[in-house]
Amino acid sequence: MKVWVDPERCQGHGLCKMIAPDSFDLDDIDGHSTAAHEVVPTDQHDLVREAVRSCPEQAIILTDDDS
């Protein structure tokens, strides 16, 4: 599973970081999110899926591609 945050959509709400703190990083200046790792560790799958569902801007893109 891969994750990516669309910088055009992200508004820096920070919910993803609250839900999956090991999978997302927040910019120190504007709070916009980026994925900490492109490939999501297996133990983080459920948390990242919850972050995707919770993002008010629908800025988090998730794929099943592991390569």
Side-chain angles (χ1 to χ4, degrees):
M1 170 186 299
K2 289 185 177 182
V3 66
W4 176 74
V5 179
D6 184 340
E8 297 294 319
R9 287 185 170 187
C10 180
Q11 296 297 307
H13 297 287
L15 292 174
C16 56
K17 179 74 171 173
M18 286 186 268
I19 294 168
D22 295 334
S23 293
F24 297 95
D25 294 322
L26 301 179
D27 185 275
D28 290 337
I29 296 171
D30 61 13
H32 286 115
S33 179
T34 56
H37 310 281
E38 181 183 18
V39 177
V40 180
T42 304
D43 66 335
Q44 294 290 305
H45 284 193
D46 290 341
L47 291 173
V48 170
R49 284 187 186 107
E50 179 62 28
V52 170
R53 287 190 295 270
S54 299
C55 180
E57 306 302 330
Q58 299 179 343
I60 305 170
I61 314 308
L62 194 61
T63 66
D64 289 330
D65 182 14
D66 286 329
S67 57

